[in-house]
Coordinates of all heavy atoms in Angstrom, one line a residue:
M690 N 96.3 107.4 108.0 CA 95.9 106.0 107.7 C 97.1 105.4 107.0 O 97.6 105.9 106.0 CB 94.7 106.1 106.8 CG 94.1 104.7 106.5 SD 92.6 104.7 105.4 CE 91.6 105.9 106.1
S691 N 97.5 104.3 107.5 CA 98.7 103.6 106.8 C 98.2 102.8 105.6 O 97.0 102.5 105.5 CB 99.3 102.6 107.8 OG 98.6 101.5 108.1
S692 N 99.1 102.4 104.8 CA 98.8 101.6 103.6 C 98.2 100.3 103.9 O 97.5 99.6 103.1 CB 100.0 101.5 102.7 OG 101.0 100.8 103.3
N693 N 98.4 99.8 105.2 CA 97.9 98.5 105.6 C 96.4 98.6 106.0 O 95.7 97.6 106.0 CB 98.6 98.0 106.8 CG 100.1 97.5 106.5 OD1 100.3 97.2 105.3 ND2 100.9 97.6 107.4
D694 N 95.9 99.9 106.2 CA 94.5 100.1 106.5 C 93.6 100.3 105.3 O 92.4 100.4 105.5 CB 94.4 101.3 107.4 CG 95.1 101.1 108.8 OD1 95.3 100.0 109.2 OD2 95.5 102.1 109.4
T695 N 94.2 100.4 104.1 CA 93.4 100.7 103.0 C 93.4 99.5 102.0 O 94.3 98.7 102.0 CB 93.9 101.9 102.2 OG1 95.3 101.7 101.8 CG2 93.9 103.1 103.1
K696 N 92.3 99.5 101.2 CA 92.2 98.4 100.1 C 92.1 99.2 98.8 O 91.6 100.3 98.8 CB 91.0 97.5 100.4 CG 91.0 96.9 101.7 CD 92.1 95.9 101.8 CE 92.1 95.2 103.2 NZ 93.4 94.7 103.6
H697 N 92.4 98.6 97.8 CA 92.4 99.2 96.4 C 91.3 98.5 95.6 O 91.1 97.3 95.7 CB 93.7 99.1 95.7 CG 94.8 99.8 96.4 ND1 95.1 101.1 96.1 CD2 95.7 99.4 97.4 CE1 96.0 101.5 96.9 NE2 96.4 100.5 97.7
V698 N 90.5 99.4 94.9 CA 89.4 98.9 94.0 C 89.8 99.4 92.6 O 90.2 100.5 92.4 CB 88.1 99.4 94.5 CG1 87.0 99.0 93.6 CG2 87.8 99.0 95.9
Q699 N 89.5 98.5 91.6 CA 89.8 98.9 90.3 C 88.6 98.6 89.4 O 87.9 97.6 89.6 CB 91.1 98.1 89.8 CG 91.5 98.4 88.4 CD 92.8 97.7 88.1 OE1 93.6 97.3 89.0 NE2 93.0 97.5 86.8
T700 N 88.4 99.4 88.4 CA 87.3 99.1 87.4 C 87.8 99.5 86.0 O 88.8 100.1 85.9 CB 86.0 99.8 87.8 OG1 85.0 99.3 87.0 CG2 86.2 101.3 87.6
E701 N 87.0 99.1 85.0 CA 87.3 99.4 83.7 C 86.2 100.3 83.1 O 85.0 100.1 83.4 CB 87.5 98.2 82.8 CG 88.7 97.4 83.2 CD 88.8 96.1 82.4 OE1 88.0 95.9 81.4 OE2 89.7 95.3 82.7
L702 N 86.5 101.3 82.4 CA 85.6 102.2 81.7 C 85.9 102.2 80.2 O 87.0 102.2 79.8 CB 85.7 103.6 82.3 CG 85.5 103.8 83.8 CD1 85.8 105.3 84.2 CD2 84.0 103.5 84.2
N703 N 84.8 102.3 79.4 CA 85.1 102.5 78.0 C 85.5 104.0 77.8 O 85.5 104.8 78.7 CB 83.9 102.1 77.1 CG 82.7 103.0 77.3 OD1 82.8 104.2 77.6 ND2 81.5 102.4 77.2
E704 N 85.9 104.4 76.6 CA 86.4 105.7 76.3 C 85.4 106.8 76.7 O 85.8 107.8 77.4 CB 86.8 105.8 74.9 CG 87.6 107.1 74.5 CD 89.0 107.2 75.2 OE1 89.6 106.1 75.4 OE2 89.4 108.3 75.5
D705 N 84.2 106.6 76.3 CA 83.1 107.6 76.6 C 82.9 107.8 78.2 O 82.8 108.9 78.7 CB 81.8 107.3 75.9 CG 80.8 108.4 76.1 OD1 81.1 109.5 75.9 OD2 79.7 108.0 76.6
E706 N 82.8 106.6 78.8 CA 82.6 106.7 80.3 C 83.8 107.3 81.0 O 83.6 108.1 81.9 CB 82.5 105.2 80.8 CG 81.2 104.5 80.4 CD 81.2 103.1 80.7 OE1 82.3 102.4 80.8 OE2 80.1 102.5 80.7
Y707 N 85.0 107.0 80.5 CA 86.2 107.6 81.1 C 86.2 109.1 80.9 O 86.5 109.9 81.9 CB 87.5 107.0 80.5 CG 88.8 107.6 81.0 CD1 89.3 107.3 82.3 CD2 89.4 108.6 80.3 CE1 90.4 107.9 82.8 CE2 90.6 109.2 80.8 CZ 91.1 108.8 82.0 OH 92.2 109.5 82.5
E708 N 85.9 109.6 79.7 CA 85.9 111.0 79.5 C 84.9 111.7 80.3 O 85.1 112.8 80.8 CB 85.7 111.3 78.0 CG 86.9 111.0 77.1 CD 88.2 111.7 77.6 OE1 88.1 112.9 77.9 OE2 89.2 111.1 77.6
R709 N 83.7 111.1 80.4 CA 82.6 111.7 81.3 C 83.1 111.8 82.7 O 82.9 112.8 83.4 CB 81.4 110.9 81.2 CG 80.7 111.1 79.9 CD 79.4 110.2 79.7 NE 78.5 110.3 80.8 CZ 77.7 109.4 81.3 NH1 77.7 108.2 80.7 NH2 76.9 109.5 82.3
F710 N 83.7 110.7 83.2 CA 84.2 110.7 84.6 C 85.3 111.7 84.8 O 85.3 112.5 85.8 CB 84.7 109.3 84.9 CG 85.2 109.1 86.3 CD1 84.4 109.3 87.4 CD2 86.5 108.6 86.5 CE1 84.9 109.2 88.7 CE2 87.0 108.5 87.8 CZ 86.2 108.7 88.9
R711 N 86.3 111.8 83.9 CA 87.4 112.7 84.0 C 86.9 114.1 84.0 O 87.3 115.0 84.8 CB 88.4 112.5 82.8 CG 89.7 113.3 82.9 CD 90.6 113.0 81.7 NE 90.0 113.5 80.4 CZ 89.9 114.8 80.1 NH1 90.3 115.7 80.8 NH2 89.3 115.1 78.9
E712 N 85.9 114.5 83.1 CA 85.4 115.8 83.0 C 84.6 116.2 84.3 O 84.8 117.3 84.8 CB 84.5 115.9 81.8 CG 83.9 117.3 81.6 CD 84.9 118.4 81.3 OE1 86.1 118.1 80.9 OE2 84.6 119.6 81.6
F713 N 83.9 115.2 84.8 CA 83.1 115.5 86.1 C 84.1 115.7 87.2 O 83.9 116.7 88.0 CB 82.3 114.2 86.4 CG 81.4 114.4 87.6 CD1 80.2 115.1 87.5 CD2 81.8 113.9 88.8 CE1 79.4 115.3 88.7 CE2 81.1 114.1 90.0 CZ 79.9 114.8 89.9
A714 N 85.2 114.9 87.3 CA 86.2 115.1 88.4 C 86.8 116.5 88.2 O 87.0 117.2 89.2 CB 87.2 114.0 88.3
R715 N 87.2 116.9 87.0 CA 87.8 118.2 86.8 C 86.9 119.3 87.2 O 87.3 120.2 87.8 CB 88.2 118.3 85.3 CG 89.0 119.6 85.0 CD 89.2 119.8 83.5 NE 88.0 120.1 82.8 CZ 87.3 121.2 82.9 NH1 87.7 122.2 83.7 NH2 86.1 121.4 82.2
E716 N 85.6 119.2 86.8 CA 84.6 120.3 87.1 C 84.5 120.5 88.6 O 84.1 121.5 89.1 CB 83.3 120.0 86.5 CG 83.3 120.1 85.0 CD 81.9 119.7 84.4 OE1 81.0 119.2 85.1 OE2 81.8 119.8 83.1
H717 N 84.7 119.4 89.4 CA 84.5 119.5 90.8 C 85.8 119.6 91.5 O 85.9 119.5 92.8 CB 83.7 118.2 91.3 CG 82.3 118.2 90.9 ND1 81.9 117.8 89.6 CD2 81.2 118.7 91.5 CE1 80.6 118.0 89.6 NE2 80.1 118.5 90.7
G718 N 86.9 119.8 90.8 CA 88.2 120.0 91.4 C 88.7 118.8 92.1 O 89.4 118.9 93.1
L719 N 88.4 117.6 91.6 CA 88.9 116.4 92.2 C 89.8 115.6 91.3 O 89.7 115.7 90.1 CB 87.6 115.5 92.5 CG 86.6 116.1 93.5 CD1 85.3 115.2 93.5 CD2 87.1 116.2 94.9
S720 N 90.7 114.9 91.9 CA 91.5 113.9 91.2 C 90.6 112.7 90.8 O 89.5 112.6 91.4 CB 92.7 113.4 92.0 OG 92.2 112.6 93.1
L721 N 91.0 111.9 89.9 CA 90.2 110.8 89.5 C 90.0 109.8 90.7 O 89.0 109.3 90.9 CB 90.8 110.0 88.3 CG 90.8 110.7 87.0 CD1 91.5 109.9 85.9 CD2 89.4 111.1 86.6
K722 N 91.1 109.7 91.5 CA 91.0 108.9 92.7 C 90.0 109.4 93.7 O 89.2 108.6 94.2 CB 92.4 108.8 93.3 CG 92.5 107.9 94.6 CD 94.0 107.9 95.1 CE 94.1 107.1 96.3 NZ 95.4 107.0 96.8
E723 N 90.0 110.7 93.9 CA 89.1 111.3 94.9 C 87.6 111.2 94.3 O 86.7 110.9 95.1 CB 89.4 112.8 95.1 CG 90.7 113.1 95.8 CD 91.1 114.5 95.7 OE1 90.9 115.2 94.7 OE2 91.7 115.0 96.7
A724 N 87.4 111.4 93.1 CA 86.1 111.3 92.5 C 85.6 109.9 92.5 O 84.4 109.7 92.8 CB 86.1 111.8 91.0
G725 N 86.4 109.0 92.3 CA 86.1 107.5 92.3 C 85.7 107.1 93.8 O 84.7 106.4 94.0
H726 N 86.5 107.6 94.7 CA 86.2 107.3 96.1 C 84.8 107.9 96.5 O 84.0 107.2 97.1 CB 87.3 107.9 97.0 CG 87.2 107.6 98.4 ND1 86.9 108.6 99.4 CD2 87.3 106.4 99.1 CE1 86.9 108.0 100.6 NE2 87.1 106.7 100.4
E727 N 84.6 109.2 96.2 CA 83.3 109.8 96.5 C 82.1 109.1 95.8 O 81.1 108.9 96.4 CB 83.3 111.3 96.2 CG 84.2 112.1 97.2 CD 84.0 113.6 97.0 OE1 83.0 114.0 96.4 OE2 84.9 114.3 97.4
A728 N 82.3 108.7 94.6 CA 81.3 108.0 93.8 C 80.9 106.7 94.5 O 79.7 106.4 94.6 CB 81.7 107.8 92.4
L729 N 81.9 105.9 94.9 CA 81.6 104.6 95.5 C 80.9 104.8 96.8 O 79.9 104.1 97.1 CB 82.9 103.9 95.7 CG 83.5 103.3 94.5 CD1 84.9 102.7 94.8 CD2 82.7 102.1 94.0
L730 N 81.3 105.8 97.6 CA 80.7 106.0 98.9 C 79.2 106.5 98.7 O 78.3 106.0 99.4 CB 81.4 107.0 99.8 CG 82.8 106.6 100.2 CD1 83.5 107.7 101.0 CD2 82.7 105.3 101.1
E731 N 79.0 107.3 97.7 CA 77.6 107.8 97.4 C 76.8 106.6 97.0 O 75.6 106.5 97.4 CB 77.7 108.9 96.4 CG 76.3 109.4 95.9 CD 75.6 110.2 97.0 OE1 76.2 110.7 97.9 OE2 74.3 110.2 96.9
W732 N 77.3 105.8 96.1 CA 76.6 104.6 95.6 C 76.2 103.7 96.8 O 75.0 103.2 96.8 CB 77.4 103.9 94.6 CG 76.7 102.7 94.0 CD1 75.7 102.7 93.1 CD2 76.9 101.3 94.4 NE1 75.3 101.4 92.8 CE2 76.0 100.5 93.7 CE3 77.7 100.7 95.4 CZ2 75.9 99.1 93.8 CZ3 77.6 99.3 95.5 CH2 76.8 98.6 94.7
I733 N 77.1 103.4 97.7 CA 76.8 102.6 98.8 C 75.7 103.2 99.7 O 74.8 102.5 100.1 CB 78.1 102.3 99.7 CG1 79.1 101.5 98.9 CG2 77.7 101.7 101.0 CD1 80.5 101.5 99.5
E734 N 75.7 104.5 99.9 CA 74.7 105.1 100.7 C 73.3 105.0 100.1 O 72.4 104.7 100.7 CB 75.0 106.6 100.9 CG 76.1 106.9 101.9 CD 75.7 106.5 103.3 OE1 74.5 106.8 103.7 OE2 76.5 105.9 104.0
R735 N 73.3 105.2 98.8 CA 72.0 105.1 98.1 C 71.5 103.7 98.1 O 70.3 103.4 98.2 CB 72.1 105.5 96.6 CG 71.9 107.0 96.5 CD 71.7 107.5 95.1 NE 73.0 107.8 94.6 CZ 73.4 107.7 93.3 NH1 72.6 107.2 92.4 NH2 74.6 108.0 92.9
Q736 N 72.3 102.7 98.0 CA 71.9 101.3 98.0 C 71.4 100.9 99.4 O 70.6 100.0 99.4 CB 73.1 100.4 97.6 CG 73.5 100.6 96.1 CD 72.4 100.5 95.1 OE1 71.6 99.5 95.1 NE2 72.3 101.4 94.2
Q737 N 71.9 101.5 100.4 CA 71.5 101.1 101.8 C 70.2 101.8 102.2 O 69.7 101.5 103.3 CB 72.6 101.4 102.7 CG 73.8 100.4 102.5 CD 74.9 100.7 103.4 OE1 75.2 101.8 103.9 NE2 75.7 99.7 103.7
Q738 N 69.7 102.8 101.5 CA 68.5 103.5 101.8 C 67.3 102.6 101.6 O 67.3 101.7 100.8 CB 68.3 104.8 101.1 CG 69.4 105.8 101.5 CD 69.3 107.1 100.6 OE1 68.4 107.2 99.8 NE2 70.2 108.0 100.9
A739 N 66.2 102.9 102.3 CA 65.0 102.1 102.2 C 64.4 102.2 100.7 O 64.4 103.3 100.1 CB 63.9 102.6 103.2
D740 N 64.0 101.1 100.3 CA 63.4 101.0 98.9 C 61.9 101.4 99.0 O 61.1 100.7 99.7 CB 63.5 99.6 98.4 CG 62.9 99.4 97.0 OD1 62.4 100.4 96.4 OD2 62.9 98.2 96.5
P741 N 61.5 102.5 98.4 CA 60.1 102.9 98.5 C 59.1 101.9 97.9 O 57.9 101.9 98.2 CB 60.0 104.2 97.8 CG 61.2 104.3 96.9 CD 62.3 103.4 97.6
N742 N 59.6 101.0 97.1 CA 58.8 100.0 96.5 C 58.7 98.7 97.3 O 58.0 97.7 97.0 CB 59.3 99.6 95.1 CG 59.2 100.8 94.2 OD1 58.2 101.5 94.2 ND2 60.2 101.0 93.4
D743 N 59.4 98.7 98.5 CA 59.3 97.6 99.4 C 57.8 97.4 99.9 O 57.2 98.4 100.2 CB 60.2 97.8 100.6 CG 60.3 96.7 101.5 OD1 59.3 96.1 101.9 OD2 61.4 96.3 101.9
P744 N 57.3 96.2 99.9 CA 55.9 96.0 100.3 C 55.6 96.6 101.7 O 54.4 96.9 101.9 CB 55.8 94.4 100.3 CG 56.8 94.0 99.3 CD 57.9 94.9 99.4
A745 N 56.6 96.7 102.5 CA 56.3 97.3 103.8 C 55.9 98.7 103.7 O 55.1 99.2 104.6 CB 57.6 97.2 104.7
F746 N 56.2 99.4 102.7 CA 55.8 100.8 102.4 C 54.6 100.9 101.5 O 54.0 102.0 101.5 CB 57.0 101.6 101.9 CG 58.2 101.7 102.8 CD1 59.4 101.0 102.5 CD2 58.2 102.4 103.9 CE1 60.5 101.0 103.3 CE2 59.3 102.5 104.8 CZ 60.4 101.8 104.4
T747 N 54.3 99.9 100.8 CA 53.2 100.0 99.8 C 51.9 99.3 100.2 O 50.9 99.5 99.6 CB 53.7 99.5 98.4 OG1 54.0 98.1 98.6 CG2 54.8 100.3 97.9
V748 N 51.9 98.6 101.3 CA 50.8 97.9 101.8 C 49.6 98.8 102.0 O 48.4 98.4 101.6 CB 51.0 97.0 103.0 CG1 51.3 97.9 104.2 CG2 49.9 96.1 103.3
L749 N 49.7 100.0 102.5 CA 48.6 100.9 102.7 C 48.0 101.4 101.4 O 46.8 101.6 101.3 CB 49.0 102.1 103.6 CG 49.4 101.7 105.0 CD1 49.8 102.9 105.8 CD2 48.2 101.0 105.7
D750 N 48.9 101.6 100.4 CA 48.4 102.0 99.1 C 47.6 100.9 98.4 O 46.7 101.2 97.6 CB 49.6 102.3 98.1 CG 50.4 103.5 98.6 OD1 49.9 104.3 99.3 OD2 51.6 103.5 98.3
E751 N 47.8 99.7 98.8 CA 47.0 98.6 98.2 C 45.7 98.4 98.8 O 44.8 97.7 98.3 CB 47.9 97.3 98.3 CG 49.2 97.4 97.5 CD 50.1 96.2 97.8 OE1 49.6 95.2 98.4 OE2 51.2 96.2 97.3
L752 N 45.4 99.0 100.0 CA 44.1 98.8 100.6 C 43.1 99.6 99.8 O 43.3 100.7 99.3 CB 44.1 99.4 102.0 CG 44.9 98.6 103.1 CD1 44.9 99.4 104.4 CD2 44.2 97.2 103.3
D753 N 42.0 99.0 99.6 CA 40.9 99.6 98.8 C 40.2 100.5 99.8 O 39.7 100.1 100.9 CB 39.9 98.5 98.3 CG 38.8 99.1 97.5 OD1 38.9 100.2 97.1 OD2 37.8 98.3 97.3
D754 N 40.1 101.8 99.4 CA 39.4 102.8 100.3 C 38.0 102.4 100.7 O 37.5 102.7 101.8 CB 39.4 104.2 99.6 CG 40.7 104.8 99.6 OD1 41.6 104.5 100.4 OD2 40.9 105.7 98.7
E755 N 37.3 101.7 99.8 CA 35.9 101.3 100.1 C 35.9 100.2 101.1 O 34.8 99.9 101.7 CB 35.3 100.9 98.8 CG 35.1 102.0 97.8 CD 34.4 101.6 96.5 OE1 33.8 100.5 96.5 OE2 34.6 102.3 95.5
S756 N 37.0 99.5 101.4 CA 37.0 98.4 102.3 C 37.1 99.0 103.8 O 36.9 98.2 104.7 CB 38.2 97.5 102.1 OG 39.4 98.1 102.4
L757 N 37.4 100.2 103.9 CA 37.5 100.8 105.2 C 36.1 101.3 105.7 O 35.3 101.7 104.8 CB 38.4 102.0 105.2 CG 39.8 101.7 104.8 CD1 40.6 103.0 104.7 CD2 40.5 100.8 105.8
P758 N 35.8 101.2 107.0 CA 34.4 101.6 107.4 C 34.2 103.1 107.2 O 35.2 103.9 107.3 CB 34.4 101.2 108.9 CG 35.9 101.1 109.3 CD 36.6 100.7 108.0
A759 N 32.9 103.5 107.0 CA 32.6 104.9 106.8 C 32.8 105.7 108.1 O 33.1 106.9 108.0 CB 31.2 105.0 106.3
S760 N 32.7 105.0 109.3 CA 32.8 105.7 110.5 C 33.7 104.9 111.4 O 33.8 103.7 111.3 CB 31.5 106.1 111.2 OG 30.8 104.9 111.5
S761 N 34.3 105.5 112.4 CA 35.1 104.8 113.3 C 34.3 104.1 114.3 O 33.2 104.5 114.7 CB 36.0 105.8 114.1 OG 36.9 106.4 113.2
A762 N 34.7 102.9 114.7 CA 34.0 102.1 115.8 C 35.0 101.5 116.7 O 36.2 101.3 116.3 CB 33.2 101.0 115.1
T763 N 34.7 101.4 117.9 CA 35.6 100.8 118.9 C 34.9 99.9 119.9 O 33.7 100.1 120.1 CB 36.4 101.9 119.6 OG1 37.4 101.3 120.5 CG2 35.5 102.8 120.5
D764 N 35.5 99.1 120.5 CA 35.0 98.2 121.6 C 35.7 98.7 122.9 O 36.8 98.2 123.2 CB 35.3 96.8 121.3 CG 34.6 95.8 122.3 OD1 34.2 96.3 123.4 OD2 34.5 94.6 122.0
V765 N 35.0 99.6 123.6 CA 35.7 100.2 124.8 C 35.9 99.1 125.9 O 36.7 99.4 126.8 CB 34.9 101.3 125.4 CG1 34.9 102.5 124.4 CG2 33.5 100.9 125.8
R766 N 35.3 98.0 125.8 CA 35.5 96.9 126.8 C 37.0 96.5 126.7 O 37.5 96.0 127.7 CB 34.6 95.8 126.6 CG 33.1 96.1 126.9 CD 32.2 95.0 126.4 NE 32.3 94.9 125.0 CZ 31.3 95.1 124.2 NH1 30.1 95.5 124.7 NH2 31.4 95.0 122.9
E767 N 37.6 96.7 125.6 CA 39.0 96.3 125.4 C 39.9 97.5 125.6 O 41.1 97.4 125.5 CB 39.2 95.7 124.0 CG 38.4 94.4 123.7 CD 38.8 93.3 124.7 OE1 40.0 93.1 124.9 OE2 37.9 92.6 125.1
E768 N 39.4 98.7 125.7 CA 40.2 99.9 125.8 C 39.9 100.7 127.0 O 39.8 101.9 127.0 CB 40.0 100.7 124.5 CG 40.3 99.9 123.3 CD 40.0 100.7 122.0 OE1 39.4 101.8 122.0 OE2 40.3 100.1 120.9
D769 N 39.7 100.1 128.2 CA 39.3 100.8 129.4 C 40.3 101.9 129.7 O 40.0 102.9 130.2 CB 39.2 99.8 130.6 CG 37.9 99.0 130.4 OD1 37.0 99.4 129.7 OD2 37.9 97.9 131.0
D770 N 41.6 101.6 129.5 CA 42.6 102.6 129.9 C 42.4 103.9 129.1 O 42.6 104.9 129.6 CB 44.0 102.0 129.6 CG 44.3 101.5 128.2 OD1 43.3 101.1 127.6 OD2 45.4 101.6 127.8
L771 N 42.0 103.8 127.8 CA 41.8 104.9 127.0 C 40.6 105.7 127.4 O 40.5 106.9 127.5 CB 41.7 104.6 125.5 CG 42.9 103.9 124.9 CD1 42.6 103.5 123.5 CD2 44.1 104.9 124.9
V772 N 39.5 105.0 127.8 CA 38.3 105.6 128.3 C 38.5 106.4 129.6 O 38.1 107.5 129.7 CB 37.2 104.6 128.5 CG1 35.9 105.2 129.1 CG2 36.8 103.9 127.1
D773 N 39.3 105.8 130.5 CA 39.6 106.4 131.7 C 40.4 107.7 131.5 O 40.3 108.7 132.3 CB 40.4 105.5 132.7 CG 39.6 104.3 133.2 OD1 38.4 104.5 133.1 OD2 40.2 103.3 133.6
E774 N 41.2 107.8 130.5 CA 42.0 109.0 130.2 C 41.3 110.0 129.4 O 41.7 111.1 129.2 CB 43.3 108.6 129.4 CG 44.2 107.8 130.3 CD 45.4 107.3 129.5 OE1 45.7 107.9 128.4 OE2 46.1 106.4 129.9
W775 N 40.1 109.7 128.8 CA 39.4 110.6 127.9 C 38.9 111.9 128.7 O 38.2 111.8 129.7 CB 38.2 109.9 127.3 CG 37.4 110.8 126.4 CD1 36.1 111.2 126.6 CD2 37.8 111.3 125.1 NE1 35.7 112.0 125.6 CE2 36.7 112.1 124.7 CE3 38.9 111.2 124.3 CZ2 36.7 112.7 123.4 CZ3 38.9 111.9 123.1 CH2 37.8 112.6 122.7
H776 N 39.3 113.0 128.2 CA 38.9 114.3 128.8 C 38.4 115.2 127.7 O 38.4 116.4 127.9 CB 40.0 115.0 129.6 CG 40.5 114.1 130.7 ND1 39.8 113.9 131.8 CD2 41.7 113.5 130.9 CE1 40.5 113.1 132.6 NE2 41.6 112.9 132.1
G777 N 38.1 114.7 126.5 CA 37.7 115.5 125.4 C 36.3 115.9 125.4 O 35.6 115.8 126.4
S778 N 35.8 116.4 124.3 CA 34.4 116.8 124.1 C 33.5 115.6 124.2 O 34.0 114.4 124.0 CB 34.2 117.6 122.9 OG 34.4 116.7 121.7
D779 N 32.2 115.8 124.3 CA 31.3 114.7 124.3 C 30.8 114.4 122.9 O 29.7 114.1 122.6 CB 30.1 115.1 125.2 CG 30.4 115.1 126.6 OD1 31.3 114.4 127.0 OD2 29.8 115.9 127.3
G780 N 31.7 114.4 121.9 CA 31.4 114.1 120.5 C 30.8 112.7 120.5 O 31.1 111.8 121.2
S781 N 30.0 112.5 119.5 CA 29.3 111.2 119.4 C 30.3 110.2 118.8 O 31.2 110.5 118.0 CB 28.1 111.3 118.5 OG 28.4 111.7 117.2
F782 N 30.1 108.9 119.1 CA 30.9 107.8 118.6 C 30.0 106.6 118.7 O 29.0 106.5 119.4 CB 32.2 107.6 119.3 CG 32.1 107.4 120.8 CD1 32.0 106.1 121.2 CD2 32.1 108.4 121.7 CE1 31.9 105.8 122.6 CE2 32.0 108.2 123.0 CZ 31.9 106.9 123.5
T783 N 30.3 105.6 117.9 CA 29.6 104.3 117.9 C 30.4 103.2 118.4 O 31.6 103.1 117.9 CB 29.2 104.0 116.4 OG1 28.4 105.1 115.9 CG2 28.3 102.8 116.4
L784 N 29.9 102.4 119.3 CA 30.6 101.2 119.8 C 30.4 100.1 118.8 O 29.4 99.9 118.2 CB 30.1 100.8 121.2 CG 30.3 101.8 122.3 CD1 29.7 101.3 123.6 CD2 31.8 102.1 122.5
A785 N 31.5 99.3 118.7 CA 31.4 98.1 117.8 C 30.6 97.1 118.5 O 30.5 97.1 119.8 CB 32.8 97.6 117.5
D786 N 30.0 96.1 117.8 CA 29.3 95.0 118.4 C 30.3 94.2 119.1 O 31.5 94.1 118.8 CB 28.6 94.2 117.3 CG 27.5 94.9 116.6 OD1 26.9 95.8 117.3 OD2 27.2 94.6 115.4
D787 N 29.9 93.5 120.2 CA 30.7 92.7 121.0 C 31.1 91.5 120.1 O 30.3 90.7 119.7 CB 30.0 92.2 122.2 CG 30.8 91.3 123.2 OD1 32.0 91.0 122.8 OD2 30.3 91.0 124.3
P788 N 32.4 91.3 119.8 CA 32.8 90.3 118.9 C 32.5 88.9 119.5 O 32.3 87.9 118.7 CB 34.3 90.5 118.7 CG 34.7 91.7 119.4 CD 33.5 92.2 120.2
S789 N 32.5 88.7 120.8 CA 32.3 87.4 121.4 C 30.8 87.0 121.2 O 30.5 85.8 121.4 CB 32.7 87.4 122.8 OG 32.0 88.3 123.6
A790 N 29.9 88.0 121.0 CA 28.5 87.7 120.9 C 28.1 87.2 119.5 O 27.0 86.7 119.2 CB 27.6 88.9 121.2
Q791 N 29.0 87.4 118.5 CA 28.7 87.0 117.1 C 29.0 85.6 116.9 O 30.1 85.1 117.3 CB 29.5 87.9 116.2 CG 29.2 89.3 116.2 CD 30.0 90.2 115.3 OE1 30.9 89.7 114.6 NE2 29.8 91.5 115.3
S792 N 28.1 84.8 116.3 CA 28.4 83.4 116.0 C 28.1 83.1 114.6 O 27.3 83.6 114.0 CB 27.6 82.5 116.8 OG 27.1 82.9 118.0

């Protein structure tokens, strides 16, 4: 990699931060430059991971269990392809009321 392909990043640390960073690099057999490079890449990776607090992941947790029906129901008139493929046991199930009949 030529020097034209790289960019330099600089930061400031207080004395305590610097000593912690220097000791960490030494313990891992890295130069300060190598340790800083690895630290930045790791930080970027963590920031780009999905946030478990994102509403897309928590919406199911927010559903009230009591708001779900006690038993499964389906309207097979809308699921003919699934009925045609059914080869399971003759277990009982309940059909939902025809939504178009409700007023």
